[in-house]
Amino acid sequence: MPMMPNANDTLRQMRNEWSLSDGVTYLNHGSFGPSPKVVQQARNDWSARLESEPMNFFFREMEDHLDAAAAAVGKFVGADADDLVFVENATVGVNIVAANTRLQPGDEVLLTDQEYGSVQRIWRHACRDAGAQVVVKELPSPHVGDDQFVADLMDAVTPRTRLIVCSHVTSATATIFPIEKICRTARERRVPICVDGPHAVAMVPLDIRALGCDFYAASCHKWLSAPFGSGFLYVAGRRKQGLRPVITSWGRSLGGRPASWKDEFTWSGTRDPAAFLSVPAAIEFLESYGLERFRQSTHELARYARQEITRVTGLEAPVPESSDWYGSMIALPLPALDVDPPEAWVPDPLQQALWDRYGIEVPVTRWRGRRLLRVSCHLYNSRDDIDRLADALGSLLG
């Protein structure tokens, strides 16, 4: 009878599935999630297929392959394939929504104070150009129950609110928002909603169709570990009419197929679609491991990080101890600096020291004037990685 592999064998096998550099402790999958080797190979194979006969690929094959890939993604995230269009990442998706949102002077776009920096910037620019206003709602922290959380957000809705933009899982604090209740309440208030969901795909169960949102923008290079440059934008049926990309090109099928709303996005200039076409390989890889098994093991590792880092810092996490509020990623407070860096995008000195002295790749972010260490856990990580981080923090923080 064959022996079952132990936990160390499984971890070693998972680590070998990636091509991470030796000597690096990589705890930043939430920013730039590398793909396993099998997904890298899928991308290379698609690019080679394109290079072998570009005319045949673009004019006779590509649209069918994109349809098949969209069907696989739709099944994975609970959406009809015809409601999904591939984009390079969630930022591109949100830009498309902003470019197609008709704002008038005095209109409002409602965001939370935990929205991603580039998303805030997108809507500030869009509102400035239209004479509209971005309203940023500060949400309670530490977090309260779902009902109060949603009520606090909806208190900022006014008759001038034209759109709500809300994360599913936040970047700054790694918090899972009660997005189902947020979307349901937005529908009841008859306010359109755009969900920014790059961290949700694979980390949490996702059924976009059931959410009933108007738009859902996602990146697949994060927890799904699809290639860099792969994402999607979900557009509810009523929102597709006249939707345009941010790049104007031919905007019609060059392969002779019937017209579709996707044509503007599919034919927006010559590009290699290998990243999009490789997303099904990433889905297959993660499903072969087991989605729930992935979520449970990575959450348990994030929980262990919470335990060990708070032991070092003596500072409590801003979210409750529950998988309802955080998944494979946890953001933990750090002691304040005597002097903050001059610009928000300048690396925190602690983040730089962790890399320079220990080879640990983990981001230190700032939110509401607080420093947060954001630890991401994937299948190639282990408790040894967390222990290494905790020991390094102990040394650097004294």
Side-chain angles (χ1 to χ4, degrees):
M1 179 176 179
M3 296 181 64
M4 296 295 291
N6 61 34
N8 288 335
D9 290 337
T10 301
L11 175 62
R12 192 176 302 111
Q13 178 185 352
M14 281 296 105
R15 176 81 183 192
N16 288 336
E17 294 288 347
W18 272 263
S19 51
L20 293 164
S21 298
D22 293 337
V24 173
T25 302
Y26 197 76
L27 292 165
N28 194 19
H29 203 97
S31 291
F32 309 109
S35 298
K37 295 173 184 175
V38 66
V39 178
Q40 296 177 42
Q41 186 60 53
R43 179 174 187 164
N44 292 340
D45 290 346
W46 281 114
S47 290
R49 187 166 179 172
L50 164 62
E51 295 287 354
S52 68
E53 220 292 33
M55 185 73 175
N56 183 62
F57 188 88
F58 281 126
F59 276 70
R60 303 184 187 100
E61 296 183 355
M62 183 180 72
E63 288 175 298
D64 288 341
H65 293 318
L66 287 172
D67 285 348
V73 173
K75 181 180 179 182
F76 189 75
V77 301
D80 295 336
D82 188 55
D83 293 338
L84 301 174
V85 65
F86 285 111
V87 294
E88 283 75 8
N89 47 55
T91 299
V92 174
V94 176
N95 268 281
I96 292 169
V97 176
N100 287 272
T101 300
R102 296 181 178 86
L103 296 171
Q104 302 293 329
D107 288 346
E108 296 175 351
V109 176
L110 174 60
L111 281 66
T112 79
D113 64 337
Q114 294 199 38
E115 300 314 309
Y116 190 51
S118 69
V119 171
Q120 294 186 39
R121 195 163 181 258
I122 289 165
W123 289 104
R124 287 196 188 103
H125 285 191
C127 288
R128 180 198 62 199
D129 293 345
Q133 180 182 1
V134 171
V135 176
V136 178
K137 175 63 177 180
E138 184 173 309
L139 295 172
S141 180
H143 294 287
V144 295
D146 287 1
D147 292 342
Q148 185 60 51
F149 185 97
V150 177
D152 286 344
L153 174 60
M154 292 301 161
D155 277 348
V157 172
T158 75
R160 297 181 297 279
T161 305
R162 296 294 171 259
L163 185 73
I164 298 171
V165 180
C166 185
S167 293
H168 192 158
V169 181
T170 71
S171 175
T173 66
T175 303
I176 301 173
F177 279 177
I179 200 65
E180 296 86 354
K181 292 184 178 180
I182 293 171
C183 288
R184 183 172 64 247
T185 307
R187 290 198 307 274
E188 292 170 354
R189 301 285 292 270
R190 298 180 180 275
V191 180
I193 182 167
C194 173
V195 179
D196 185 36
H199 286 288
V201 180
M203 186 200 287
V204 298
L206 182 55
D207 187 345
I208 297 177
R209 192 183 297 108
L211 289 180
C213 58
D214 297 87
F215 304 99
Y216 194 106
S219 298
C220 297
H221 72 264
K222 294 184 183 288
W223 302 98
L224 183 56
S225 296
F228 295 112
S230 63
F232 66 83
L233 176 66
Y234 164 87
V235 184
R238 61 191 178 278
R239 302 293 176 185
K240 294 175 190 171
Q241 187 173 3
L243 196 76
R244 297 176 61 87
V246 292
I247 296 173
T248 299
S249 184
W250 289 104
R252 66 175 186 272
S253 172
L254 302 184
R257 302 202 324 175
S260 164
W261 74 277
K262 293 187 181 184
D263 292 342
E264 288 282 357
F265 301 90
T266 301
W267 299 100
S268 60
T270 304
R271 61 183 174 184
D272 183 352
F276 303 153
L277 299 177
S278 304
V279 176
I283 294 172
E284 183 178 350
F285 174 83
L286 206 54
E287 288 183 335
S288 69
Y289 182 85
L291 270 176
E292 284 308 312
R293 182 184 175 198
F294 159 74
R295 289 166 184 152
Q296 290 170 9
S297 63
T298 54
H299 173 72
E300 174 57 27
L301 204 53
R303 188 205 63 78
Y304 181 68
R306 175 190 179 120
Q307 169 189 305
E308 293 304 298
I309 303 308
T310 55
R311 177 181 58 79
V312 171
T313 64
L315 301 172
E316 289 300 317
V319 294
E321 176 47 72
S322 169
S323 59
D324 291 337
W325 287 99
Y326 74 97
S328 310
M329 180 171 69
I330 183 78
L332 300 159
L334 291 167
L337 283 174
D338 292 336
V339 179
D340 283 335
E343 303 289 353
W345 54 83
V346 175
D348 188 279
L350 178 62
Q351 176 179 328
Q352 196 64 41
L354 286 167
W355 170 248
D356 290 340
R357 294 175 57 178
Y358 300 95
I360 298 173
E361 200 74 89
V362 64
V364 176
T365 65
R366 291 186 287 281
W367 177 70
R368 288 190 187 173
R370 301 172 67 187
R371 301 165 76 211
L372 297 173
L373 182 78
R374 200 189 70 183
V375 183
S376 299
C377 305
H378 215 280
L379 293 176
Y380 51 78
N381 293 123
S382 68
R383 286 195 171 204
D384 288 344
D385 295 332
I386 304 304
D387 291 340
R388 196 172 299 116
L389 173 61
D391 290 344
L393 280 174
S395 297
L396 291 171
L397 296 176

